[in-house]
Amino acid sequence: MQETPDTYSEKPKQSYAGFILIFVLIKLGLNLLAISKFGFQRDELLHLALAEHLDWGYVEVPPVIAVLAKISTIIFGNSLFAARLFPTLCGCLIVWLGAQTTVELGGKKFAITLTCLALIFSPAFAASGYLFEPVVFDQLWWLLSTWLTIKYCNTRSPGYLWFLGIAVGFGLLTKYTMGLFVLALVISLLICNQRKLFFNRRTIIAASLAFIIFLPNLIWEIRHNFPVFNQMATLKKEQLDQLKPSGFILQQLVDNGMGIFIWLPGFLFLLISPAFRKYQFIAFTFILLFALLLLMNGKHYYLFGAYPMLLAAGGVVFERWLSNRKFALKVGVAAICTAPNFFIFPIALPILSLNQTIAFVQAGQKKFPFLNFVVLWDDHQVHAITQNYGDMLGWQELTAKVAVAWQGLTPAQQQHTQIYADNYGEASALNHYGKAYRLPTVISLDSSFELWAPANLDASYIIYVDEEKGRNVEKLQPHLESSIRVGAIENPLAIENGTTIFLLIHPKRSLNQLYKKDRADQKIHRLI
């Protein structure tokens, strides 16, 4: 009798814990090699700032990332290495759970090997698996929910369903894209043969658990007039509307590198193979997620969390294809599906120094010009490094030059000075690095900073960080007695290159009126 996932699921499964641990340690080692490189990315700095204002919600994210930032700071400190420890541990858990999902689908050592190597070396998971952002935690909740769903299918033990509800609840508190995953999963279960297994009183209890966990954030959103919708509208206008469906599709084909040769067969077999009929809902979940994000002009990385379950299935497919083949052939297949990813790995994970990374990119551009898209930024220009790396540079320089302006004032003048930054990246950098210079609290109306912005911007002196390289200050001249250019970020590799610092001297009342209007407009937008 041919072994299928259905028949295999009835047998006791070997844990392969020791074997899986090897791959977890490889992931851990690579991340530890990289996480102190370059500097904080702007979103990481924002999340550290949120930790100083703990609440049940924020303009751009639910509360979990802020809580993790607070815990990380208390336990490990506020260094770059410390901030990236939790994402690193999360990335290791993704490798572990990906392997466990492979086992649950009927895979053994070779299937586990393919799945884990893909999760470690695919550009998508290398690039997202070390930054202190909700993305990697979102991927974990998606994968955990998938694994729990499969376990419930195989065992019908209600405990897995209860834990699924808990995972969904915390997933929603981490990133709202969890809602899309749940929607796609529920519709897929309705379509497939598992609907009778899931839609009962047990499911209602699991859904209730998820709702209770998510409820505090929902109440916060209601009380603040759903800032998430305004944030989504702004994101759509400024970024998503510029994206093309063809670009999204292309990104899905290349984001996992050679991993496509693992996840694509896995997807196809889940969709059409009788041997995988029990798990067909996984394929439909992916289809629905892909379609939803394509229609919404979603960013390409929103779908990353759906690939581990396909990679797990793909590993099982290859293992069955090669079950009677020689060991050398299996090694060759694993090498073909993994080794080419090594050539772009330093672009995804900063395992090299900055100068080495620049040299690596230049060498790659000469040999493979078609890879220029990897270093193509939102300004549609090809740069020396990736945009993600460029967003890690210039922050300490910015803070040091703001500190020069601050220290150039007398103690009496400092008592009547405020610092204002145009965007949340600048504000978050000044909030983090400014403590060493004893800078006053930075003010901004961008992102969540507007939630705790003061009622007035009415100091006698304002140190102003102009993201438009001086153009904003030019517009403010009628509202100032005078202004002095203090300095600017002078790092051509940084996204913020050219961001300029000014000292605004004796602003008029009209400037404060403009500020108060902008602050009020932020609140009004939440009502629209």
Side-chain angles (χ1 to χ4, degrees):
M1 178 179 177
Q2 185 178 2
E3 191 177 78
T4 71
D6 283 354
T7 57
Y8 184 87
S9 65
E10 296 168 0
K11 302 175 183 178
K13 291 184 175 63
Q14 189 173 339
S15 70
Y16 300 103
F19 185 68
I20 296 170
L21 186 60
I22 295 171
F23 297 101
V24 172
L25 292 175
I26 293 172
K27 173 68 174 179
L28 178 63
L30 288 170
N31 270 37
L32 290 178
L33 184 66
I35 58 177
S36 294
K37 296 288 199 313
F38 300 177
F40 283 105
Q41 201 253 18
R42 77 172 63 224
D43 289 343
E44 294 180 294
L45 290 166
L46 171 64
H47 302 143
L48 292 175
L50 298 183
E52 299 176 14
H53 303 269
L54 289 180
D55 207 339
W56 280 108
Y58 302 95
V59 170
E60 59 287 292
V61 290
V64 161
I65 193 70
V67 174
L68 290 174
K70 189 70 172 181
I71 295 171
S72 175
T73 301
I74 292 172
I75 297 176
F76 305 120
N78 61 2
S79 68
L80 180 63
F81 182 87
R84 290 177 174 174
L85 281 177
F86 276 158
T88 290
L89 293 175
C90 186
C92 291
L93 282 174
I94 288 172
V95 172
W96 178 271
L97 265 178
Q100 292 296 339
T101 303
T102 305
V103 172
E104 204 59 37
L105 292 176
K108 298 178 183 178
K109 283 189 175 181
F110 182 63
I112 291 170
T113 299
L114 289 180
T115 302
C116 289
L117 288 176
L119 288 171
I120 293 169
F121 293 105
S122 288
F125 296 100
S128 61
Y130 72 99
L131 294 174
F132 188 67
E133 298 180 358
V135 175
V136 66
F137 302 102
D138 188 45
Q139 293 168 9
L140 177 63
W141 292 123
W142 285 30
L143 178 55
L144 178 59
S145 298
T146 302
W147 178 77
L148 289 167
T149 304
I150 294 170
K151 288 292 288 186
Y152 181 65
C153 287
N154 289 342
T155 66
R156 306 198 178 186
S157 172
Y160 292 112
L161 206 53
W162 311 153
F163 282 115
L164 176 59
I166 293 170
V168 168
F170 280 105
L172 289 169
L173 288 181
T174 302
K175 193 172 173 64
Y176 294 124
T177 46
M178 185 70 185
L180 290 178
F181 175 80
V182 172
L183 176 64
L185 179 62
V186 169
I187 294 174
S188 298
L189 290 170
L190 281 171
I191 294 172
C192 299
N193 292 331
Q194 305 301 327
R195 55 184 174 272
K196 291 181 180 179
L197 183 60
F198 278 86
F199 294 95
N200 49 48
R201 284 181 295 178
R202 293 174 175 179
T203 304
I204 294 173
I205 295 173
S208 299
L209 286 172
F211 180 75
I212 291 169
I213 293 170
F214 177 61
L215 184 59
N217 178 246
L218 179 61
I219 292 172
W220 185 93
E221 287 285 347
I222 293 171
R223 287 179 174 175
H224 290 78
N225 300 306
F226 290 97
V228 63
F229 292 139
N230 182 49
Q231 177 74 5
M232 290 171 62
T234 301
L235 182 67
K236 185 176 186 299
K237 179 181 178 181
E238 295 180 356
Q239 297 184 36
L240 301 186
D241 283 348
Q242 319 306 321
L243 302 178
K244 297 180 180 178
S246 59
F248 178 84
I249 295 171
L250 176 62
Q251 288 283 167
Q252 302 312 314
L253 296 176
V254 302
D255 277 338
N256 285 287
M258 295 300 289
I260 188 174
F261 296 108
I262 302 174
W263 72 256
L264 190 56
F267 165 70
L268 293 174
F269 271 74
L270 285 168
L271 187 64
I272 63 176
S273 173
F276 282 93
R277 183 63 54 84
K278 185 176 183 179
Y279 310 113
Q280 192 179 47
F281 69 89
I282 297 175
F284 280 105
T285 299
F286 178 79
I287 291 171
L288 289 171
L289 284 167
F290 190 97
L292 284 169
L293 290 171
L294 190 65
L295 290 172
M296 295 169 62
N297 280 358
K299 293 185 177 182
H300 66 102
Y301 64 83
Y302 291 174
L303 194 58
F304 284 1
Y307 286 107
M309 57 189 184
L310 302 184
L311 290 168
V316 175
V317 169
F318 270 97
E319 186 170 66
R320 289 165 187 267
W321 280 348
L322 303 175
S323 60
N324 297 318
R325 304 298 180 182
K326 292 183 179 180
F327 179 75
L329 179 60
K330 294 180 179 180
V331 172
V333 169
I336 291 171
C337 291
T338 305
N341 286 344
F342 296 164
F343 294 103
I344 56 174
F345 195 66
I347 298 175
L349 186 70
I351 55 176
L352 305 177
S353 69
L354 182 58
N355 288 335
Q356 289 172 332
T357 301
I358 294 171
F360 182 87
V361 170
Q362 289 175 342
Q365 288 173 321
K366 291 179 181 178
K367 293 181 180 179
F368 310 104
F370 64 90
L371 288 177
N372 276 346
F373 77 91
V374 176
V375 288
L376 185 69
W377 290 9
D378 288 342
D379 61 4
H380 304 294
Q381 300 296 316
V382 174
H383 291 261
I385 54 177
T386 66
Q387 181 165 307
N388 206 33
Y389 290 168
D391 222 0
M392 300 177 189
L393 305 175
W395 302 122
Q396 289 175 291
E397 179 187 357
L398 169 68
T399 308
K401 290 182 176 178
V402 168
V404 169
W406 170 254
Q407 293 164 355
L409 299 170
T410 66
Q413 290 172 329
Q414 288 178 350
Q415 291 180 4
H416 301 282
T417 300
Q418 293 172 305
I419 299 177
Y420 185 90
D422 273 339
N423 67 54
Y424 74 84
E426 299 154 358
S428 301
L430 293 172
N431 178 76
H432 182 75
Y433 293 113
K435 294 178 177 66
Y437 299 96
R438 298 184 179 179
L439 297 179
T441 302
V442 64
I443 300 168
S444 180
L445 294 179
D446 190 34
S447 194
S448 282
F449 276 86
E450 62 101 352
L451 295 174
W452 53 81
N456 293 287
L457 187 69
D458 56 357
S460 299
Y461 302 91
I462 298 173
I463 300 173
Y464 184 90
V465 181
D466 187 348
E467 66 179 349
E468 294 295 333
K469 305 178 182 179
R471 289 188 289 272
N472 286 338
V473 169
E474 286 182 16
K475 297 175 184 177
L476 295 177
Q477 288 302 324
H479 308 284
L480 309 172
E481 183 178 292
S482 62
S483 64
I484 299 173
R485 185 182 184 277
V486 177
I489 295 178
E490 298 174 350
N491 185 340
L493 297 175
I495 286 180
E496 291 277 339
N497 184 44
T499 293
T500 310
I501 304 105
F502 290 87
L503 178 63
L504 310 185
I505 301 172
H506 298 151
K508 300 175 183 177
R509 289 184 179 180
S510 57
L511 180 65
N512 189 39
Q513 291 171 352
L514 285 175
Y515 168 81
K516 292 171 74 172
K517 181 180 182 300
D518 287 346
R519 184 170 177 270
D521 286 346
Q522 294 288 347
K523 298 181 181 297
I524 290 172
H525 286 160
R526 298 197 219 122
L527 298 173
I528 298 175

